[in-house]
């Protein structure tokens, strides 16, 4: 049976080769007679899985040895609390955190951080309905912030940073959940990068934190031990029982990415896929995208029908054609196509062909 194309924003499509390998190893991982789901997290077998996943991620993103890679059960949303609990102790008392507010996810982050520190909104695109990234020249950063927080790709609003902010000696923290591994990153310009796996790196249940060593050991007393980066680092992400199967799937995705040519190949594909879809939207009189062209996300493309009464017909026709989960986020409405690494060019080509035919007939 031909599989449909899944445009979900997350949990998102996984590479078919990964799903096939996971299925083949479900009952018997590498001749051991058990599933990874049944495997002790203290075993040598699981140790080989998590260490290989860490190595492959370090290779793919060229992560320097001065950074630790942590796998944690905390979701990216939970990390909005975990990160200030870990980093706020490094700054002044009371702690201050600078935020750049560019959409729903950076907004959720700053609200959560207010429980642990004073938040300074250094810049915001709220007045423009989050359709752009404020230029750094307009940011009002504080002098002694514990760190500066950005969401470098907003899945709901469809904006993406195409520059790396210069925050001087203040650590830059970035939520890269929705575009990690889709383009090269200069890791050393960040103090901490975090990402939920279920969009571009694996399945729901595990998040990855890449953190500079000198930012570890500054946790507030309120931080639970299981989420203290010192504890996670000391125990190589196995302070308690980790999400073993989610880490296994993450490892398979990282291996697949290497086989495809790594991050440079993913970036080339992302440029091609997003250009196909944006060109279709821009040439249309039915579809519209309001995001500033200088910061349109390559991963998440929201678009709207000029005649909203056609939305249900559009979605029904799309599903009939094997184009799934295109409905926009409930907070914005409209449509959204997520073009993560696992989405092949053929899927976007089929979507564009459907959109053009729908416009022709409506």
């Amino acid at each position: 049976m031909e599989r449909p194309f899944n445009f979900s924003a997350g949990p998102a499509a996984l590479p078919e080769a990964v799903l096939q390998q996971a299925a083949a190893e479900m009952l018997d991982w590498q001749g051991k007679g058990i599933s990874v789901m049944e495997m002790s997290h203290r075993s040598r077998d699981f140790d080989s899985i998590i260490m290989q996943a860490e190595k492959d991620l370090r290779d793919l993103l060229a992560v320097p040895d001065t950074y630790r890679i942590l796998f944690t059960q905390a979701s990216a949303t939970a990390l909005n609390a975990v990160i200030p609990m870990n980093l706020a102790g490094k700054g002044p008392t009371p702690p201050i955190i600078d935020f750049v507010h560019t959409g729903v996810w950076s907004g959720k982050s700053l609200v959560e951080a207010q429980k642990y520190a004073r938040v300074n909104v250094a810049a915001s695109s709220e007045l423009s309905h989050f359709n752009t990234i404020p230029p750094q020249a307009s940011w009002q950063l504080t002098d002694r912030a514990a760190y500066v927080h950005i969401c470098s790709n907003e899945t709901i609003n469809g904006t993406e940073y195409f520059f790396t902010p210069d925050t001087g000696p203040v650590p830059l923290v970035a939520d890269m959940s929705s575009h990690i591994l889709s383009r090269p990153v200069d890791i050393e310009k960040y103090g901490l990068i975090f990402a939920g796996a279920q969009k571009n790196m694996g399945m729901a249940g595990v998040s990855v934190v890449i953190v500079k060593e000198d930012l570890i050991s500054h946790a507030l007393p309120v931080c639970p031990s299981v989420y203290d980066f010192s504890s996670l680092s000391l125990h190589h992400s196995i302070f308690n029982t980790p999400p073993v199967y989610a880490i296994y799937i993450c490892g398979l995705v990282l291996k697949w990415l290497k086989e495809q040519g790594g991050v440079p190949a993913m970036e080339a594909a992302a440029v091609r896929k997003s250009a196909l879809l944006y060109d279709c939207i821009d040439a249309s009189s039915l579809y519209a995208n309001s995001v500033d062209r200088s910061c349109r996300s390559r991963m998440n493309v929201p678009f709207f029908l000029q005649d909203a009464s056609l939305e249900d017909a559009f979605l029904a026709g799309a599903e009939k054609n094997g184009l799934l989960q295109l409905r926009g986020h409930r907070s914005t409405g409209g449509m959204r196509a997520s073009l993560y690494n696992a989405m092949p060019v053929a899927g976007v080509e089929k979507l564009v062909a459907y959109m053009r035919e729908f416009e022709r007939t409506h």
Side-chain angles (χ1 to χ4, degrees):
M1 182 185 74
E2 182 180 354
R3 299 189 78 231
F5 294 109
N6 177 12
F7 292 91
S8 173
L14 286 163
E16 189 169 344
V18 167
L19 294 172
Q20 290 173 342
Q21 182 173 350
E25 295 181 336
M26 176 59 73
L27 296 178
D28 183 4
W29 179 79
Q30 297 191 7
K32 299 294 182 176
I34 61 171
S35 170
V36 175
M37 289 184 182
E38 307 169 290
M39 187 179 289
S40 168
H41 62 291
R42 303 292 183 188
S43 67
R44 290 184 179 180
D45 290 333
F46 181 70
D47 191 54
S48 71
I49 289 172
I50 194 170
M51 294 304 291
Q52 187 63 51
E54 179 180 334
K55 179 183 182 304
D56 287 342
L57 181 58
R58 193 174 290 276
D59 291 346
L60 284 161
L61 289 177
V63 179
D65 291 339
T66 52
Y67 286 73
R68 300 291 178 89
I69 295 177
L70 310 175
F71 295 91
T72 173
Q73 286 169 306
S75 65
T77 300
L79 285 168
N80 289 330
V82 172
I83 289 169
M85 282 194 285
N86 271 275
L87 302 190
K90 191 176 189 298
T93 303
I96 302 170
I97 304 170
D98 285 336
F99 273 81
V100 181
H101 186 17
T102 53
V104 172
W105 294 113
S106 55
K108 287 179 180 290
S109 300
L110 70 88
V111 168
E112 192 68 27
Q114 287 173 343
K115 299 175 183 178
Y116 310 99
R118 183 166 70 84
V119 165
N120 169 55
V121 180
S124 174
S125 56
E126 187 171 10
L127 291 178
S128 66
H129 304 288
F130 300 120
N131 67 357
T132 190
I133 302 293
Q136 188 172 352
S138 70
W139 296 10
Q140 300 295 314
L141 299 173
T142 53
D143 293 333
R144 298 178 59 218
Y147 61 91
V148 179
H149 180 113
I150 65 170
C151 179
S152 50
N153 187 81
E154 291 276 4
T155 58
I156 295 172
N157 303 98
T159 56
E160 182 172 2
Y161 281 73
F162 291 106
F163 67 94
T164 303
D166 181 1
T167 57
V170 177
L172 177 62
V173 170
D175 177 355
M176 292 192 181
S177 294
S178 49
H179 72 158
I180 195 167
L181 296 165
S182 70
R183 67 185 209 198
V185 175
D186 187 347
I187 300 294
E188 290 185 306
K189 291 185 177 180
Y190 297 84
L192 183 150
I193 292 167
F194 70 102
Q198 71 272 14
K199 298 179 185 294
N200 222 20
M201 192 164 43
M203 60 174 280
V206 66
S207 296
V208 169
V209 175
I210 302 171
V211 57
K212 197 171 184 180
E213 287 180 344
D214 64 8
L215 293 181
I216 295 175
S217 301
H218 299 286
L220 298 174
V222 71
C223 184
S225 297
V226 71
Y227 292 134
D228 187 324
F229 293 158
S230 296
S231 301
L232 283 169
S233 177
L234 180 64
H235 294 89
H236 304 287
S237 300
I238 312 180
F239 177 78
N240 66 324
T241 305
V244 292
Y245 198 75
I247 293 171
Y248 158 73
I249 293 294
C250 186
L252 295 185
V253 172
L254 295 171
K255 178 182 175 183
W256 176 84
L257 285 170
K258 280 188 163 183
E259 292 170 350
Q260 305 310 304
V263 172
M266 294 300 103
E267 181 177 38
V271 169
R272 182 181 175 190
K273 290 183 292 186
S274 58
L276 280 170
L277 184 49
Y278 283 122
D279 287 349
C280 173
I281 294 168
D282 292 341
S284 166
S285 59
L286 177 62
Y287 309 109
N289 173 280
S290 62
V291 176
D292 187 311
R293 295 191 185 204
S294 67
C295 53
R296 281 175 163 179
S297 172
R298 295 173 184 166
M299 295 288 102
N300 308 100
V301 182
F303 61 96
F304 299 86
L305 275 64
Q306 302 286 9
D307 182 354
S309 68
L310 294 173
E311 288 185 1
D312 288 343
F314 177 89
L315 290 167
E319 186 168 347
K320 186 177 180 180
N321 281 273
L323 304 165
L324 306 183
Q325 304 202 66
L326 285 164
R327 188 181 295 278
H329 191 269
R330 62 185 179 274
S331 66
T332 58
M335 310 296 152
R336 176 175 52 169
S338 293
L339 313 180
Y340 300 129
N341 289 340
M343 174 57 64
V345 173
V348 184
E349 290 174 336
K350 186 172 182 180
L351 172 60
V352 166
Y354 168 70
M355 290 171 66
R356 288 173 175 158
E357 177 61 17
F358 186 88
E359 181 172 11
R360 187 188 68 81
T361 57
H362 290 80

